[in-house]
């Protein structure tokens, strides 16, 4: 077994990172997808305007999709700030996670494991 390399500088543990605290100037209803640059999460609880709340960045959520789109399990998904649903196109969109079940064209949602 080799010896680990330990740097005398680094990081201080804060928390598990399942949720991320945010302060918002707008009201965010529970269930809304929140995009902060490349960080994408879900507001499990409503957040009042001009107050502190948190978004969840881990877990599996049913997320809205285009009902004409076929999404196989294992597909990497992105959040469209324009159409407000998951898409398969990475172009200028923030990654939200990966589909954990098939979502055929007739379905309105897809089960997404958030990946941040």
């Amino acid at each position: 077994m080799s010896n680990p390399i330990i740097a005398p500088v680094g990081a201080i543990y804060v928390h598990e990172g399942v949720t991320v605290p945010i302060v918002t100037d707008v009201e965010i209803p529970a269930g809304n997808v929140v995009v902060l640059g490349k960080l994408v999460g879900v507001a499990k609880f409503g957040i009042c305007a001009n107050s502190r709340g948190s978004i969840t960045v881990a877990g599996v959520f049913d997320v809205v999709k285009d009902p004409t789109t076929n999404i196989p399990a294992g597909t990497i998904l992105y959040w469209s700030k324009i159409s407000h649903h998951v898409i398969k196109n990475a172009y200028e969109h923030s990654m939200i996670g990966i589909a954990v079940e098939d979502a055929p064209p007739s379905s309105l949602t897809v089960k997404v494991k958030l990946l941040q």
Side-chain angles (χ1 to χ4, degrees):
M1 177 185 216
S2 63
N3 291 328
I5 298 171
I6 301 172
V9 296
I12 297 172
Y13 179 82
V14 177
H15 60 78
E16 290 182 3
V18 173
T19 61
V20 175
I22 64 168
V23 177
T24 177
D25 56 352
V26 297
E27 182 176 339
I28 301 174
N32 275 23
V33 173
V34 178
V35 179
L36 303 169
K38 294 295 181 183
L39 180 66
V40 182
V42 175
K44 281 177 48 176
F45 306 102
I47 304 170
C48 295
N50 300 309
S51 67
R52 187 175 182 91
S54 63
I55 59 172
T56 301
V57 295
V60 177
F61 288 82
D62 281 327
V63 181
V64 67
K65 73 173 206 52
D66 181 337
T68 65
T69 303
N70 181 46
I71 300 177
T75 302
I76 295 174
L77 298 169
Y78 304 86
W79 182 255
S80 171
K81 292 186 279 185
I82 298 166
S83 59
H84 303 285
H85 58 67
V86 294
I87 58 175
K88 298 188 280 186
N89 178 1
Y91 178 75
E92 292 192 18
H93 300 289
S94 300
M95 186 182 73
I96 187 169
I98 189 166
V100 296
E101 289 182 0
D102 292 340
S106 60
S107 61
L108 300 176
T109 62
V110 57
K111 290 193 182 328
V112 178
K113 178 173 183 354
L114 300 181
L115 295 176
Q116 296 299 304

